[in-house]
Amino acid sequence: MTDIALAADFALIIVAATAVGLVARKFGQPTIVAYILTGVILGPVVFDVVTAEGLVDVMAELGLGFLLFLLGMKMRFSDIQEILRPISNIAIGQTVLQTALAFLVALALGFGTTEVLVIALATVFGATPVIVKVLTDKDEITSLPGKSTLGS
């Protein structure tokens, strides 16, 4: 793929994500829903406009990096220390229960042992970026419930 086509795909992704994001905000939806919808629209599911797999991977990593950077900017170490003990108890319980539930569902769907373990662990860590984005959109990331949610 040429550099011009790559730049055009990048620009198309940014413009489409911004437009769909504005529509989502107008309807009171989190922008992460708009970003997912943009991926569905531009990807192979609907229009198959953006096909550069390398670009998609880079965009995904940049998005996650910026999201975690934003989290780092909002959280203070003193805030984390304050809620560390109760959050640790919640996090351990949540991780064990969520892993067990995903394990059972994947096993019931007929996956092999290795696949079941990967699916179970992926469900535990896969929701964090979505939670961070939703809390950021609602401006609740620095509230006590937001800190508690992120801690667990």
Side-chain angles (χ1 to χ4, degrees):
M1 178 171 266
T2 66
D3 290 340
I4 293 174
L6 199 60
D9 279 356
F10 183 77
L12 179 64
I13 291 170
I14 298 298
V15 169
T18 302
V20 176
L22 290 172
V23 171
R25 283 235 174 207
K26 186 167 181 85
F27 288 105
Q29 298 301 312
T31 53
I32 194 151
V33 172
Y35 298 155
I36 292 170
L37 185 60
T38 302
V40 170
I41 292 169
L42 296 180
V45 175
V46 178
F47 292 123
D48 199 23
V49 176
V50 178
T51 56
E53 192 171 312
L55 176 64
V56 173
D57 292 340
V58 168
M59 292 286 293
E61 289 179 21
L62 282 174
L64 181 59
F66 284 131
L67 196 60
L68 294 175
F69 175 76
L70 178 65
L71 174 62
M73 294 291 291
K74 296 276 186 173
M75 295 294 281
R76 292 181 181 83
F77 189 68
S78 60
D79 294 340
I80 296 170
Q81 282 181 318
E82 176 182 311
I83 60 171
L84 186 60
R85 185 165 306 219
I87 292 306
S88 297
N89 296 333
I90 295 169
I92 291 168
Q94 174 202 349
T95 302
V96 168
L97 288 174
Q98 189 171 349
T99 303
L101 181 62
F103 184 89
L104 292 173
V105 169
L107 199 60
L109 291 174
F111 287 97
T113 307
T114 305
E115 292 88 0
V116 167
L117 289 173
V118 170
I119 291 169
L121 293 174
T123 60
V124 172
F125 300 111
T128 302
V130 175
I131 293 168
V132 169
K133 183 62 180 151
V134 169
L135 287 172
T136 302
D137 284 352
K138 294 181 165 241
D139 201 28
E140 293 180 5
I141 201 161
T142 56
S143 68
L144 183 58
K147 292 175 195 173
S148 299
T149 301
L150 288 178
S152 60

